[in-house]
Amino acid sequence: MHIAILTFEGYNELDSLIALGVLNRIKRDDWRVTIATPAAQVTSMNGVTIGQMSSLEEAVSADAVIVGSGIATREVVQNPAIMGVLRGLDPQRQLIAAQCSGALVLAKLGLLRDVPACTDLTTKPWVIAAGVDVLNQPFFAKGNIATAGGCLASQYLAAWVIARLCGKDEAAAALHYVAPVGEKQDYIDRAWRNIGSYLPAERHTLLDVG
C-alpha cells in the first residue's frame, strides 16, 4: 500500500510532514508513505529542504495521494510538465486528498466538478475562481476525494486515509499517539465529528483508546 504526499517547492511543512508522521503510525510491511516531489529536493516556505522519496510518476500510481500545500501552488498549476503527470490521478482507482491550496490543483485537474472543497482562507478566492464552491469547515469528502482547510486539518486527511485503507480503529490509534497528553480522547472525538460522516459504515466499532 503506497500513500504519496505531493510536496512542491515552497511547501508548507505542517501540511506535508504532519500527514507523513500520522500516516507512518501504521506499522505494516506493505505500508509505504512517501514525500513525492517533482525534483530531487524541495525547500519549504520556511527554508526546510527535504529529499525526494518518490517521483510524481510513482505517486500517480499510488493507492492514495495527498496533494500538499505551499506558497507556490499557483505556479504549480501553471506548470505543464507537473500538471501533465498529475492528470493521471484517478479517483476511480485511488484515494485523492488535498490540503489547503492543494484543492486548487484538484480544481485545475477537473477533479472537483460538482464537489465542494475545503481550503485555507488565502487560497479560497482562487478555488472559487476555478469554479468550485468552498465550504466553511475543516474537512469534506465525497467518494474517494477529500479536501481539508487549515494547516492543522492535515491530521484529518491522514486519519481519513488510514480509516479508508485500514479501518477506523487504526486511524484512532494513530491519532491517539500524536495527540497531546490529557487531551487524547478529545482529539479523537473532534476528528470523528469532522470525518466520521464521510466514512463508509463498518461492521466493527471505534475502539475507545482514551
Side-chain angles (χ1 to χ4, degrees):
M1 198 75 68
H2 179 201
I3 301 90
I5 303 170
L6 304 190
T7 304
F8 305 103
E9 190 70 20
Y11 73 94
N12 185 317
E13 304 93 337
L14 295 177
D15 294 342
S16 289
L17 300 183
I18 288 177
L20 180 74
V22 175
L23 288 163
N24 269 317
R25 294 310 307 161
I26 301 300
K27 305 300 182 184
R28 298 185 178 183
D29 291 340
D30 65 343
W31 188 263
R32 177 183 176 223
V33 186
T34 65
I35 297 292
T37 65
Q41 293 183 328
V42 291
T43 300
S44 76
M45 59 194 297
N46 294 307
V48 178
T49 298
I50 57 176
Q52 182 183 72
M53 298 172 67
S54 65
S55 66
L56 298 186
E57 288 79 7
E58 290 178 277
V60 165
S61 63
D63 299 282
V65 178
I66 295 177
V67 184
S69 185
I71 60 173
T73 305
R74 285 189 292 178
E75 287 76 11
V76 168
V77 299
Q78 293 173 357
N79 186 313
I82 291 176
M83 295 299 283
V85 174
L86 297 186
R87 292 194 188 284
L89 293 173
D90 183 1
Q92 296 300 313
R93 61 176 176 79
Q94 61 192 163
L95 301 180
I96 300 175
Q99 176 68 39
C100 290
S101 66
L104 182 61
V105 176
L106 299 193
K108 293 295 187 179
L109 290 172
L111 295 175
L112 296 180
R113 295 190 185 98
D114 302 318
V115 180
C118 300
T119 190
D120 63 278
L121 298 181
T122 298
T123 307
K124 179 178 178 179
W126 309 333
V127 175
I128 292 173
V132 177
D133 291 333
V134 174
L135 303 172
N136 184 33
Q137 60 191 61
F139 179 89
F140 179 83
K142 183 177 181 180
N144 287 341
I145 296 178
T147 54
C151 300
L152 296 182
S154 55
Q155 62 181 312
Y156 298 152
L157 282 187
W160 177 79
V161 169
I162 294 171
R164 289 292 308 272
L165 297 179
C166 299
K168 295 179 181 179
D169 293 339
E170 289 83 352
L175 290 174
H176 182 269
Y177 181 88
V178 301
V181 172
E183 300 180 357
K184 292 184 179 294
Q185 194 61 47
D186 290 341
Y187 265 65
I188 294 168
D189 292 343
R190 184 182 302 111
W192 248 250
R193 285 196 300 270
N194 284 292
I195 70 175
S197 62
Y198 304 111
L199 294 172
E202 293 183 345
R203 286 178 297 175
H204 65 281
T205 57
L206 174 66
L207 290 176
D208 182 359
V209 292

PDB file of all heavy atoms in Angstrom, residues 112-148:
ATOM      1  N   LEU A 112     -12.772  18.302  -9.125  1.00  0.00           N
ATOM      2  CA  LEU A 112     -13.761  18.831  -8.167  1.00  0.00           C
ATOM      3  C   LEU A 112     -15.035  19.284  -8.855  1.00  0.00           C
ATOM      4  O   LEU A 112     -15.761  20.122  -8.321  1.00  0.00           O
ATOM      5  CB  LEU A 112     -13.148  19.975  -7.359  1.00  0.00           C
ATOM      6  CG  LEU A 112     -11.965  19.596  -6.460  1.00  0.00           C
ATOM      7  CD1 LEU A 112     -11.439  20.815  -5.717  1.00  0.00           C
ATOM      8  CD2 LEU A 112     -12.344  18.497  -5.474  1.00  0.00           C
ATOM      9  N   ARG A 113     -15.319  18.739 -10.025  1.00  0.00           N
ATOM     10  CA  ARG A 113     -16.589  19.052 -10.686  1.00  0.00           C
ATOM     11  C   ARG A 113     -17.729  18.542  -9.813  1.00  0.00           C
ATOM     12  O   ARG A 113     -17.788  17.360  -9.475  1.00  0.00           O
ATOM     13  CB  ARG A 113     -16.658  18.401 -12.067  1.00  0.00           C
ATOM     14  CG  ARG A 113     -15.631  18.938 -13.060  1.00  0.00           C
ATOM     15  CD  ARG A 113     -15.925  18.428 -14.468  1.00  0.00           C
ATOM     16  NE  ARG A 113     -14.892  18.821 -15.411  1.00  0.00           N
ATOM     17  CZ  ARG A 113     -13.881  18.055 -15.794  1.00  0.00           C
ATOM     18  NH1 ARG A 113     -13.777  16.830 -15.297  1.00  0.00           N
ATOM     19  NH2 ARG A 113     -12.991  18.477 -16.665  1.00  0.00           N
ATOM     20  N   ASP A 114     -18.646  19.429  -9.448  1.00  0.00           N
ATOM     21  CA  ASP A 114     -19.797  19.079  -8.603  1.00  0.00           C
ATOM     22  C   ASP A 114     -19.390  18.596  -7.214  1.00  0.00           C
ATOM     23  O   ASP A 114     -20.188  17.952  -6.525  1.00  0.00           O
ATOM     24  CB  ASP A 114     -20.671  18.020  -9.284  1.00  0.00           C
ATOM     25  CG  ASP A 114     -21.182  18.462 -10.644  1.00  0.00           C
ATOM     26  OD1 ASP A 114     -21.579  19.635 -10.764  1.00  0.00           O
ATOM     27  OD2 ASP A 114     -21.163  17.646 -11.585  1.00  0.00           O
ATOM     28  N   VAL A 115     -18.159  18.888  -6.809  1.00  0.00           N
ATOM     29  CA  VAL A 115     -17.691  18.519  -5.474  1.00  0.00           C
ATOM     30  C   VAL A 115     -17.214  19.781  -4.766  1.00  0.00           C
ATOM     31  O   VAL A 115     -16.253  20.410  -5.214  1.00  0.00           O
ATOM     32  CB  VAL A 115     -16.533  17.500  -5.538  1.00  0.00           C
ATOM     33  CG1 VAL A 115     -16.068  17.145  -4.128  1.00  0.00           C
ATOM     34  CG2 VAL A 115     -16.948  16.248  -6.294  1.00  0.00           C
ATOM     35  N   PRO A 116     -17.873  20.206  -3.680  1.00  0.00           N
ATOM     36  CA  PRO A 116     -17.369  21.368  -2.939  1.00  0.00           C
ATOM     37  C   PRO A 116     -16.065  21.027  -2.242  1.00  0.00           C
ATOM     38  O   PRO A 116     -15.737  19.848  -2.064  1.00  0.00           O
ATOM     39  CB  PRO A 116     -18.487  21.646  -1.933  1.00  0.00           C
ATOM     40  CG  PRO A 116     -19.153  20.323  -1.730  1.00  0.00           C
ATOM     41  CD  PRO A 116     -19.072  19.615  -3.059  1.00  0.00           C
ATOM     42  N   ALA A 117     -15.318  22.048  -1.857  1.00  0.00           N
ATOM     43  CA  ALA A 117     -13.984  21.809  -1.294  1.00  0.00           C
ATOM     44  C   ALA A 117     -13.758  22.621  -0.032  1.00  0.00           C
ATOM     45  O   ALA A 117     -14.402  23.651   0.203  1.00  0.00           O
ATOM     46  CB  ALA A 117     -12.913  22.161  -2.325  1.00  0.00           C
ATOM     47  N   CYS A 118     -12.819  22.157   0.757  1.00  0.00           N
ATOM     48  CA  CYS A 118     -12.285  22.917   1.883  1.00  0.00           C
ATOM     49  C   CYS A 118     -10.883  23.375   1.500  1.00  0.00           C
ATOM     50  O   CYS A 118     -10.142  22.642   0.842  1.00  0.00           O
ATOM     51  CB  CYS A 118     -12.216  22.055   3.136  1.00  0.00           C
ATOM     52  SG  CYS A 118     -13.807  21.410   3.662  1.00  0.00           S
ATOM     53  N   THR A 119     -10.524  24.568   1.934  1.00  0.00           N
ATOM     54  CA  THR A 119      -9.188  25.085   1.666  1.00  0.00           C
ATOM     55  C   THR A 119      -8.881  26.170   2.675  1.00  0.00           C
ATOM     56  O   THR A 119      -9.710  26.515   3.522  1.00  0.00           O
ATOM     57  CB  THR A 119      -9.086  25.602   0.214  1.00  0.00           C
ATOM     58  OG1 THR A 119      -7.717  25.895  -0.087  1.00  0.00           O
ATOM     59  CG2 THR A 119      -9.917  26.851   0.005  1.00  0.00           C
ATOM     60  N   ASP A 120      -7.683  26.719   2.615  1.00  0.00           N
ATOM     61  CA  ASP A 120      -7.310  27.793   3.531  1.00  0.00           C
ATOM     62  C   ASP A 120      -7.879  29.117   3.042  1.00  0.00           C
ATOM     63  O   ASP A 120      -8.306  29.248   1.885  1.00  0.00           O
ATOM     64  CB  ASP A 120      -5.787  27.872   3.651  1.00  0.00           C
ATOM     65  CG  ASP A 120      -5.142  28.224   2.322  1.00  0.00           C
ATOM     66  OD1 ASP A 120      -4.959  27.311   1.495  1.00  0.00           O
ATOM     67  OD2 ASP A 120      -4.820  29.405   2.108  1.00  0.00           O
ATOM     68  N   LEU A 121      -7.870  30.117   3.897  1.00  0.00           N
ATOM     69  CA  LEU A 121      -8.505  31.391   3.571  1.00  0.00           C
ATOM     70  C   LEU A 121      -7.786  32.128   2.456  1.00  0.00           C
ATOM     71  O   LEU A 121      -8.415  32.843   1.665  1.00  0.00           O
ATOM     72  CB  LEU A 121      -8.584  32.254   4.828  1.00  0.00           C
ATOM     73  CG  LEU A 121      -9.424  31.668   5.976  1.00  0.00           C
ATOM     74  CD1 LEU A 121      -9.436  32.623   7.163  1.00  0.00           C
ATOM     75  CD2 LEU A 121     -10.838  31.355   5.525  1.00  0.00           C
ATOM     76  N   THR A 122      -6.459  31.968   2.365  1.00  0.00           N
ATOM     77  CA  THR A 122      -5.720  32.639   1.291  1.00  0.00           C
ATOM     78  C   THR A 122      -6.083  32.050  -0.069  1.00  0.00           C
ATOM     79  O   THR A 122      -6.249  32.773  -1.062  1.00  0.00           O
ATOM     80  CB  THR A 122      -4.210  32.507   1.521  1.00  0.00           C
ATOM     81  OG1 THR A 122      -3.870  33.145   2.762  1.00  0.00           O
ATOM     82  CG2 THR A 122      -3.423  33.162   0.395  1.00  0.00           C
ATOM     83  N   THR A 123      -6.206  30.742  -0.125  1.00  0.00           N
ATOM     84  CA  THR A 123      -6.472  30.057  -1.388  1.00  0.00           C
ATOM     85  C   THR A 123      -7.938  30.136  -1.798  1.00  0.00           C
ATOM     86  O   THR A 123      -8.262  29.978  -2.980  1.00  0.00           O
ATOM     87  CB  THR A 123      -6.042  28.580  -1.277  1.00  0.00           C
ATOM     88  OG1 THR A 123      -4.686  28.512  -0.836  1.00  0.00           O
ATOM     89  CG2 THR A 123      -6.156  27.855  -2.601  1.00  0.00           C
ATOM     90  N   LYS A 124      -8.811  30.384  -0.857  1.00  0.00           N
ATOM     91  CA  LYS A 124     -10.258  30.334  -1.115  1.00  0.00           C
ATOM     92  C   LYS A 124     -10.681  31.084  -2.379  1.00  0.00           C
ATOM     93  O   LYS A 124     -11.393  30.512  -3.226  1.00  0.00           O
ATOM     94  CB  LYS A 124     -11.011  30.869   0.106  1.00  0.00           C
ATOM     95  CG  LYS A 124     -12.525  30.894  -0.067  1.00  0.00           C
ATOM     96  CD  LYS A 124     -13.199  31.391   1.211  1.00  0.00           C
ATOM     97  CE  LYS A 124     -14.707  31.456   1.030  1.00  0.00           C
ATOM     98  NZ  LYS A 124     -15.381  31.907   2.285  1.00  0.00           N
ATOM     99  N   PRO A 125     -10.293  32.359  -2.584  1.00  0.00           N
ATOM    100  CA  PRO A 125     -10.755  33.052  -3.791  1.00  0.00           C
ATOM    101  C   PRO A 125     -10.247  32.423  -5.083  1.00  0.00           C
ATOM    102  O   PRO A 125     -10.931  32.478  -6.111  1.00  0.00           O
ATOM    103  CB  PRO A 125     -10.226  34.474  -3.613  1.00  0.00           C
ATOM    104  CG  PRO A 125      -9.140  34.383  -2.591  1.00  0.00           C
ATOM    105  CD  PRO A 125      -9.521  33.252  -1.700  1.00  0.00           C
ATOM    106  N   TRP A 126      -9.072  31.811  -5.048  1.00  0.00           N
ATOM    107  CA  TRP A 126      -8.538  31.175  -6.259  1.00  0.00           C
ATOM    108  C   TRP A 126      -9.327  29.914  -6.605  1.00  0.00           C
ATOM    109  O   TRP A 126      -9.584  29.634  -7.775  1.00  0.00           O
ATOM    110  CB  TRP A 126      -7.059  30.817  -6.082  1.00  0.00           C
ATOM    111  CG  TRP A 126      -6.222  31.962  -5.592  1.00  0.00           C
ATOM    112  CD1 TRP A 126      -6.457  33.303  -5.770  1.00  0.00           C
ATOM    113  CD2 TRP A 126      -5.010  31.870  -4.827  1.00  0.00           C
ATOM    114  NE1 TRP A 126      -5.471  34.041  -5.168  1.00  0.00           N
ATOM    115  CE2 TRP A 126      -4.567  33.187  -4.589  1.00  0.00           C
ATOM    116  CE3 TRP A 126      -4.256  30.806  -4.344  1.00  0.00           C
ATOM    117  CZ2 TRP A 126      -3.400  33.466  -3.870  1.00  0.00           C
ATOM    118  CZ3 TRP A 126      -3.105  31.073  -3.633  1.00  0.00           C
ATOM    119  CH2 TRP A 126      -2.682  32.391  -3.404  1.00  0.00           C
ATOM    120  N   VAL A 127      -9.723  29.173  -5.582  1.00  0.00           N
ATOM    121  CA  VAL A 127     -10.508  27.961  -5.814  1.00  0.00           C
ATOM    122  C   VAL A 127     -11.906  28.328  -6.299  1.00  0.00           C
ATOM    123  O   VAL A 127     -12.451  27.692  -7.214  1.00  0.00           O
ATOM    124  CB  VAL A 127     -10.569  27.106  -4.532  1.00  0.00           C
ATOM    125  CG1 VAL A 127     -11.493  25.907  -4.716  1.00  0.00           C
ATOM    126  CG2 VAL A 127      -9.167  26.630  -4.143  1.00  0.00           C
ATOM    127  N   ILE A 128     -12.475  29.378  -5.726  1.00  0.00           N
ATOM    128  CA  ILE A 128     -13.787  29.843  -6.188  1.00  0.00           C
ATOM    129  C   ILE A 128     -13.694  30.293  -7.642  1.00  0.00           C
ATOM    130  O   ILE A 128     -14.571  29.982  -8.463  1.00  0.00           O
ATOM    131  CB  ILE A 128     -14.297  30.980  -5.289  1.00  0.00           C
ATOM    132  CG1 ILE A 128     -14.631  30.436  -3.888  1.00  0.00           C
ATOM    133  CG2 ILE A 128     -15.527  31.652  -5.905  1.00  0.00           C
ATOM    134  CD1 ILE A 128     -14.989  31.502  -2.880  1.00  0.00           C
ATOM    135  N   ALA A 129     -12.621  31.013  -7.973  1.00  0.00           N
ATOM    136  CA  ALA A 129     -12.430  31.473  -9.352  1.00  0.00           C
ATOM    137  C   ALA A 129     -12.283  30.307 -10.318  1.00  0.00           C
ATOM    138  O   ALA A 129     -12.585  30.437 -11.514  1.00  0.00           O
ATOM    139  CB  ALA A 129     -11.211  32.385  -9.437  1.00  0.00           C
ATOM    140  N   ALA A 130     -11.843  29.159  -9.809  1.00  0.00           N
ATOM    141  CA  ALA A 130     -11.718  27.962 -10.635  1.00  0.00           C
ATOM    142  C   ALA A 130     -13.035  27.226 -10.786  1.00  0.00           C
ATOM    143  O   ALA A 130     -13.094  26.163 -11.416  1.00  0.00           O
ATOM    144  CB  ALA A 130     -10.662  27.028 -10.045  1.00  0.00           C
ATOM    145  N   GLY A 131     -14.098  27.789 -10.209  1.00  0.00           N
ATOM    146  CA  GLY A 131     -15.429  27.230 -10.378  1.00  0.00           C
ATOM    147  C   GLY A 131     -15.856  26.232  -9.327  1.00  0.00           C
ATOM    148  O   GLY A 131     -16.799  25.463  -9.548  1.00  0.00           O
ATOM    149  N   VAL A 132     -15.214  26.256  -8.166  1.00  0.00           N
ATOM    150  CA  VAL A 132     -15.511  25.293  -7.107  1.00  0.00           C
ATOM    151  C   VAL A 132     -16.109  26.007  -5.903  1.00  0.00           C
ATOM    152  O   VAL A 132     -15.605  27.058  -5.489  1.00  0.00           O
ATOM    153  CB  VAL A 132     -14.236  24.533  -6.683  1.00  0.00           C
ATOM    154  CG1 VAL A 132     -14.517  23.588  -5.529  1.00  0.00           C
ATOM    155  CG2 VAL A 132     -13.651  23.779  -7.869  1.00  0.00           C
ATOM    156  N   ASP A 133     -17.168  25.466  -5.345  1.00  0.00           N
ATOM    157  CA  ASP A 133     -17.738  26.004  -4.110  1.00  0.00           C
ATOM    158  C   ASP A 133     -16.820  25.665  -2.939  1.00  0.00           C
ATOM    159  O   ASP A 133     -16.368  24.520  -2.814  1.00  0.00           O
ATOM    160  CB  ASP A 133     -19.126  25.408  -3.847  1.00  0.00           C
ATOM    161  CG  ASP A 133     -20.159  25.891  -4.850  1.00  0.00           C
ATOM    162  OD1 ASP A 133     -19.994  26.996  -5.381  1.00  0.00           O
ATOM    163  OD2 ASP A 133     -21.126  25.147  -5.097  1.00  0.00           O
ATOM    164  N   VAL A 134     -16.553  26.635  -2.083  1.00  0.00           N
ATOM    165  CA  VAL A 134     -15.679  26.431  -0.920  1.00  0.00           C
ATOM    166  C   VAL A 134     -16.513  26.441   0.349  1.00  0.00           C
ATOM    167  O   VAL A 134     -17.326  27.350   0.571  1.00  0.00           O
ATOM    168  CB  VAL A 134     -14.577  27.510  -0.851  1.00  0.00           C
ATOM    169  CG1 VAL A 134     -13.779  27.373   0.441  1.00  0.00           C
ATOM    170  CG2 VAL A 134     -13.649  27.397  -2.056  1.00  0.00           C
ATOM    171  N   LEU A 135     -16.330  25.428   1.180  1.00  0.00           N
ATOM    172  CA  LEU A 135     -17.085  25.271   2.414  1.00  0.00           C
ATOM    173  C   LEU A 135     -16.356  25.908   3.586  1.00  0.00           C
ATOM    174  O   LEU A 135     -15.126  25.915   3.633  1.00  0.00           O
ATOM    175  CB  LEU A 135     -17.292  23.784   2.701  1.00  0.00           C
ATOM    176  CG  LEU A 135     -17.985  22.968   1.606  1.00  0.00           C
ATOM    177  CD1 LEU A 135     -17.949  21.483   1.944  1.00  0.00           C
ATOM    178  CD2 LEU A 135     -19.424  23.442   1.414  1.00  0.00           C
ATOM    179  N   ASN A 136     -17.118  26.396   4.548  1.00  0.00           N
ATOM    180  CA  ASN A 136     -16.542  26.974   5.765  1.00  0.00           C
ATOM    181  C   ASN A 136     -16.445  25.884   6.836  1.00  0.00           C
ATOM    182  O   ASN A 136     -17.112  25.921   7.860  1.00  0.00           O
ATOM    183  CB  ASN A 136     -17.400  28.144   6.246  1.00  0.00           C
ATOM    184  CG  ASN A 136     -16.776  28.840   7.451  1.00  0.00           C
ATOM    185  OD1 ASN A 136     -15.560  28.909   7.574  1.00  0.00           O
ATOM    186  ND2 ASN A 136     -17.614  29.346   8.337  1.00  0.00           N
ATOM    187  N   GLN A 137     -15.602  24.903   6.590  1.00  0.00           N
ATOM    188  CA  GLN A 137     -15.391  23.796   7.519  1.00  0.00           C
ATOM    189  C   GLN A 137     -14.021  23.189   7.233  1.00  0.00           C
ATOM    190  O   GLN A 137     -13.437  23.443   6.180  1.00  0.00           O
ATOM    191  CB  GLN A 137     -16.494  22.746   7.360  1.00  0.00           C
ATOM    192  CG  GLN A 137     -16.587  22.120   5.976  1.00  0.00           C
ATOM    193  CD  GLN A 137     -17.860  21.302   5.805  1.00  0.00           C
ATOM    194  OE1 GLN A 137     -18.968  21.845   5.908  1.00  0.00           O
ATOM    195  NE2 GLN A 137     -17.710  20.009   5.543  1.00  0.00           N
ATOM    196  N   PRO A 138     -13.504  22.389   8.170  1.00  0.00           N
ATOM    197  CA  PRO A 138     -12.132  21.906   8.019  1.00  0.00           C
ATOM    198  C   PRO A 138     -11.963  20.717   7.089  1.00  0.00           C
ATOM    199  O   PRO A 138     -10.848  20.476   6.593  1.00  0.00           O
ATOM    200  CB  PRO A 138     -11.725  21.526   9.441  1.00  0.00           C
ATOM    201  CG  PRO A 138     -13.018  21.153  10.097  1.00  0.00           C
ATOM    202  CD  PRO A 138     -14.038  22.075   9.512  1.00  0.00           C
ATOM    203  N   PHE A 139     -13.031  19.951   6.840  1.00  0.00           N
ATOM    204  CA  PHE A 139     -12.885  18.712   6.077  1.00  0.00           C
ATOM    205  C   PHE A 139     -14.169  18.393   5.339  1.00  0.00           C
ATOM    206  O   PHE A 139     -15.273  18.624   5.839  1.00  0.00           O
ATOM    207  CB  PHE A 139     -12.535  17.554   7.021  1.00  0.00           C
ATOM    208  CG  PHE A 139     -12.379  16.224   6.336  1.00  0.00           C
ATOM    209  CD1 PHE A 139     -11.145  15.836   5.837  1.00  0.00           C
ATOM    210  CD2 PHE A 139     -13.457  15.365   6.190  1.00  0.00           C
ATOM    211  CE1 PHE A 139     -10.996  14.612   5.193  1.00  0.00           C
ATOM    212  CE2 PHE A 139     -13.319  14.146   5.553  1.00  0.00           C
ATOM    213  CZ  PHE A 139     -12.090  13.758   5.053  1.00  0.00           C
ATOM    214  N   PHE A 140     -13.993  17.849   4.129  1.00  0.00           N
ATOM    215  CA  PHE A 140     -15.130  17.357   3.365  1.00  0.00           C
ATOM    216  C   PHE A 140     -14.648  16.246   2.454  1.00  0.00           C
ATOM    217  O   PHE A 140     -13.524  16.287   1.938  1.00  0.00           O
ATOM    218  CB  PHE A 140     -15.761  18.465   2.511  1.00  0.00           C
ATOM    219  CG  PHE A 140     -16.932  17.987   1.675  1.00  0.00           C
ATOM    220  CD1 PHE A 140     -18.193  17.902   2.245  1.00  0.00           C
ATOM    221  CD2 PHE A 140     -16.764  17.610   0.358  1.00  0.00           C
ATOM    222  CE1 PHE A 140     -19.272  17.441   1.502  1.00  0.00           C
ATOM    223  CE2 PHE A 140     -17.831  17.156  -0.400  1.00  0.00           C
ATOM    224  CZ  PHE A 140     -19.097  17.076   0.166  1.00  0.00           C
ATOM    225  N   ALA A 141     -15.474  15.239   2.275  1.00  0.00           N
ATOM    226  CA  ALA A 141     -15.134  14.164   1.348  1.00  0.00           C
ATOM    227  C   ALA A 141     -16.377  13.714   0.601  1.00  0.00           C
ATOM    228  O   ALA A 141     -17.499  13.748   1.130  1.00  0.00           O
ATOM    229  CB  ALA A 141     -14.520  12.977   2.088  1.00  0.00           C
ATOM    230  N   LYS A 142     -16.175  13.319  -0.620  1.00  0.00           N
ATOM    231  CA  LYS A 142     -17.222  12.717  -1.431  1.00  0.00           C
ATOM    232  C   LYS A 142     -16.600  11.584  -2.218  1.00  0.00           C
ATOM    233  O   LYS A 142     -15.695  11.796  -3.018  1.00  0.00           O
ATOM    234  CB  LYS A 142     -17.842  13.745  -2.384  1.00  0.00           C
ATOM    235  CG  LYS A 142     -18.993  13.180  -3.217  1.00  0.00           C
ATOM    236  CD  LYS A 142     -19.631  14.246  -4.083  1.00  0.00           C
ATOM    237  CE  LYS A 142     -20.792  13.673  -4.888  1.00  0.00           C
ATOM    238  NZ  LYS A 142     -21.424  14.718  -5.756  1.00  0.00           N
ATOM    239  N   GLY A 143     -17.059  10.381  -1.934  1.00  0.00           N
ATOM    240  CA  GLY A 143     -16.458   9.233  -2.584  1.00  0.00           C
ATOM    241  C   GLY A 143     -14.994   9.105  -2.212  1.00  0.00           C
ATOM    242  O   GLY A 143     -14.633   9.106  -1.032  1.00  0.00           O
ATOM    243  N   ASN A 144     -14.138   9.041  -3.210  1.00  0.00           N
ATOM    244  CA  ASN A 144     -12.703   8.868  -2.975  1.00  0.00           C
ATOM    245  C   ASN A 144     -11.914  10.170  -3.008  1.00  0.00           C
ATOM    246  O   ASN A 144     -10.685  10.147  -3.077  1.00  0.00           O
ATOM    247  CB  ASN A 144     -12.119   7.910  -4.020  1.00  0.00           C
ATOM    248  CG  ASN A 144     -12.526   6.470  -3.772  1.00  0.00           C
ATOM    249  OD1 ASN A 144     -12.944   6.106  -2.679  1.00  0.00           O
ATOM    250  ND2 ASN A 144     -12.427   5.642  -4.804  1.00  0.00           N
ATOM    251  N   ILE A 145     -12.603  11.311  -2.941  1.00  0.00           N
ATOM    252  CA  ILE A 145     -11.935  12.609  -2.956  1.00  0.00           C
ATOM    253  C   ILE A 145     -12.210  13.343  -1.646  1.00  0.00           C
ATOM    254  O   ILE A 145     -13.362  13.432  -1.205  1.00  0.00           O
ATOM    255  CB  ILE A 145     -12.408  13.465  -4.145  1.00  0.00           C
ATOM    256  CG1 ILE A 145     -12.006  12.811  -5.465  1.00  0.00           C
ATOM    257  CG2 ILE A 145     -11.826  14.872  -4.064  1.00  0.00           C
ATOM    258  CD1 ILE A 145     -12.481  13.563  -6.693  1.00  0.00           C
ATOM    259  N   ALA A 146     -11.167  13.868  -1.028  1.00  0.00           N
ATOM    260  CA  ALA A 146     -11.305  14.616   0.221  1.00  0.00           C
ATOM    261  C   ALA A 146     -10.458  15.879   0.169  1.00  0.00           C
ATOM    262  O   ALA A 146      -9.414  15.909  -0.488  1.00  0.00           O
ATOM    263  CB  ALA A 146     -10.884  13.761   1.417  1.00  0.00           C
ATOM    264  N   THR A 147     -10.921  16.918   0.861  1.00  0.00           N
ATOM    265  CA  THR A 147     -10.139  18.155   0.984  1.00  0.00           C
ATOM    266  C   THR A 147     -10.200  18.631   2.424  1.00  0.00           C
ATOM    267  O   THR A 147     -11.155  18.356   3.151  1.00  0.00           O
ATOM    268  CB  THR A 147     -10.673  19.260   0.054  1.00  0.00           C
ATOM    269  OG1 THR A 147     -12.082  19.453   0.302  1.00  0.00           O
ATOM    270  CG2 THR A 147     -10.464  18.910  -1.414  1.00  0.00           C
ATOM    271  N   ALA A 148      -9.158  19.366   2.819  1.00  0.00           N
ATOM    272  CA  ALA A 148      -9.096  19.912   4.174  1.00  0.00           C
ATOM    273  C   ALA A 148      -8.565  21.332   4.111  1.00  0.00           C
ATOM    274  O   ALA A 148      -7.733  21.662   3.266  1.00  0.00           O
ATOM    275  CB  ALA A 148      -8.203  19.060   5.077  1.00  0.00           C
TER     276      ALA A 148
END
